[in-house]
Amino acid sequence: MQTEEILTGVFGELHELLGDHREFKRETLSRLSALEKEVKDAPALRSARLAAAVSALSGAASLLGGLGLRLVAAFPSAGGAS
């Protein structure tokens, strides 16, 4: 009877380890999938952020122009002083 109890205990522990292993594998694959998606989406996210920044700057320039303020160019114009 003692051998049967030992085998039952070992089987129970093995079954528990297999369950833990499957859960670990499931979580790992889920995290890997999420990381792959982030890597694939990174260029589009950067482009979207750049477009938003350009849009915001354009809106600010338009607002300033509407208020009668002129933006000064970084370089003098062709007719200006050199």
Side-chain angles (χ1 to χ4, degrees):
M1 196 68 165
Q2 187 179 16
T3 305
E4 186 176 321
E5 290 174 5
I6 291 173
L7 289 176
T8 301
V10 168
F11 179 76
E13 290 177 17
L14 179 61
H15 186 69
E16 185 179 336
L17 286 174
L18 285 172
D20 290 346
H21 175 71
R22 287 182 183 135
E23 182 62 25
F24 174 77
K25 183 179 174 182
R26 190 177 305 117
E27 288 179 16
T28 301
L29 291 175
S30 175
R31 289 178 186 168
L32 180 60
S33 178
L35 287 173
E36 285 175 341
K37 184 178 180 333
E38 287 180 20
V39 167
K40 288 179 184 176
D41 292 346
L45 184 59
R46 278 194 299 265
S47 296
R49 286 181 180 164
L50 179 61
V54 168
S55 177
L57 289 174
S58 174
S62 176
L63 178 65
L64 291 175
L67 293 174
L69 301 174
R70 292 191 157 254
L71 297 177
V72 178
F75 300 101
S77 63
S82 38

